[in-house]
Amino acid sequence: GAKVGLAFEVLGGSNRKVFNRITGKDGLFMASNKSTGSASFTVDKDGYYSSWGGFRFDKSEHGKWQPWNPEEKVILRKIGNPVPMYARDTSFSNLYLPITDKKIGFDLMEYDWVKPYGNGTTPDLYFNVHNEFKSERKFTSVLILTFNNKFDGIHEVNNEFRHSLFKMPRFAPDQGFQPKIMLERNNADMGYDSGKFYVFRVRSVVKDGKLVQAMYGKIHGDIMHNPGLKKTALITMRYYLNPDYTTNLEFDPKRNLVVGANSVELLTAP
């Protein structure tokens, strides 16, 4: 009962042959057509997150694209318990680090650097950048990201649901959080890796040396820092913070808790 749309690229992409069908009980959808070597698809079903993707053939032999008759497996994820979060994409707001070679705290709820560099009150993340900057075309930059206490940290996770709109784990893990990560950039390597995914833990409450509760969140894509013309660092990341002290990472885009931001800065994906 899933709605599948499959489009074959033809004539150099100027036209497409599109098939739209409903899958049967076996969940299968099949279609064939002449193509210039690629196809794209979408899959939708009520109560599930949308999925999409594409396929590009490797080569052509004897008039047939290879591999011949490929199968692409798509797992639809059920919509579970989406919750309100502080969710924001910093690439729309020119978030520059105030100063280099010093740990500067950033408040994810207030979306600001902590005092004296801003009006933030809780340093959820500490950014420390060291630049070797000679020009726009010749520089290196190292970002060290640290946290407020030994229970806070960050954990890189695998993208198990690459086709789905909801790509991240449904819940944060109990272990595996690292107290810091180091990211290095230079003029020859400023590429953005959309396949990076992180889960983080902040605002940990500790009693008798044990973790009592904490806030959890996630970051979609790379954590980028670019020295740019300002010679500090432009910080770019897409983050989600769940303030309810549960490990739930499923965001409700209709209930973004960020107040006062431009609509283009607010994340609308789960």
Side-chain angles (χ1 to χ4, degrees):
K3 301 175 184 178
V4 179
L6 177 63
F8 288 94
E9 300 295 334
V10 295
L11 299 178
S14 60
N15 294 293
R16 297 194 302 168
K17 177 64 176 178
V18 180
F19 295 86
N20 290 288
R21 296 176 187 167
I22 305 295
T23 62
K25 292 183 179 180
D26 56 7
L28 289 176
F29 169 94
M30 292 189 294
S32 61
N33 197 68
K34 291 183 178 181
S35 170
T36 54
S38 64
S40 58
F41 61 84
T42 60
V43 188
D44 293 282
K45 183 177 172 64
D46 289 344
Y48 292 79
Y49 288 105
S50 297
S51 289
W52 61 83
F55 191 90
R56 181 169 293 279
F57 295 90
D58 295 332
K59 58 183 178 179
S60 177
E61 291 182 355
H62 308 296
K64 292 183 178 182
W65 289 109
Q66 303 298 323
W68 180 247
N69 196 26
E71 181 178 291
E72 191 81 2
K73 185 175 181 180
V74 179
I75 301 174
L76 293 183
R77 302 188 74 188
K78 282 187 176 181
I79 297 174
N81 179 32
V83 296
M85 293 189 189
Y86 292 86
R88 199 156 185 175
D89 186 341
T90 73
S91 64
F92 293 101
S93 57
N94 291 330
L95 182 66
Y96 276 96
L97 192 70
I99 191 173
T100 58
D101 298 301
K102 184 177 181 179
K103 286 173 59 176
I104 308 295
F106 186 74
D107 190 323
L108 294 172
M109 287 187 178
E110 295 296 330
Y111 192 70
D112 203 354
W113 304 105
V114 298
K115 297 178 180 180
Y117 302 101
N119 294 317
T121 57
T122 302
D124 295 305
L125 311 174
Y126 284 101
F127 293 85
N128 189 349
V129 168
H130 174 73
N131 292 330
E132 295 288 342
F133 190 92
K134 295 183 179 179
S135 70
E136 288 183 73
R137 297 184 179 182
K138 192 171 184 180
F139 65 83
T140 58
S141 180
V142 176
L143 165 65
I144 299 176
L145 184 67
T146 55
F147 295 82
N148 206 24
N149 62 54
K150 68 177 183 179
F151 288 94
D152 290 352
I154 192 166
H155 178 52
E156 186 172 351
V157 296
N158 294 325
N159 177 12
E160 299 178 20
F161 300 93
R162 62 188 178 91
H163 292 129
S164 180
L165 178 65
F166 180 33
K167 299 182 181 298
M168 297 286 285
R170 207 172 289 273
F171 301 99
D174 295 328
Q175 300 177 348
F177 292 93
Q178 303 299 315
K180 72 175 182 179
I181 57 173
M182 185 171 68
L183 305 169
E184 184 172 352
R185 303 285 180 185
N186 59 58
N187 54 287
D189 181 19
M190 289 299 295
Y192 177 79
D193 187 353
S194 60
K196 289 278 189 179
F197 295 90
Y198 299 93
V199 175
F200 60 83
R201 180 164 64 199
V202 295
R203 308 198 185 201
S204 296
V205 177
V206 181
K207 186 176 181 180
D208 298 328
K210 296 182 179 180
L211 179 66
V212 176
Q213 62 181 14
M215 290 186 187
Y216 294 86
K218 58 186 179 179
I219 297 174
H220 277 204
D222 256 347
I223 304 169
M224 297 287 291
H225 63 288
N226 186 348
L229 298 176
K230 298 258 181 171
K231 299 185 182 180
T232 58
L234 176 65
I235 305 297
T236 305
M237 62 180 179
R238 290 177 287 167
Y239 73 84
Y240 304 70
L241 174 65
N242 180 5
D244 70 2
Y245 287 95
T246 70
T247 60
N248 191 352
L249 296 177
E250 189 175 0
F251 169 55
D252 184 351
K254 296 180 180 179
R255 295 188 287 170
N256 197 326
L257 298 174
V258 174
V259 177
N262 188 304
S263 60
V264 297
E265 297 179 52
L266 303 179
L267 292 175
T268 57

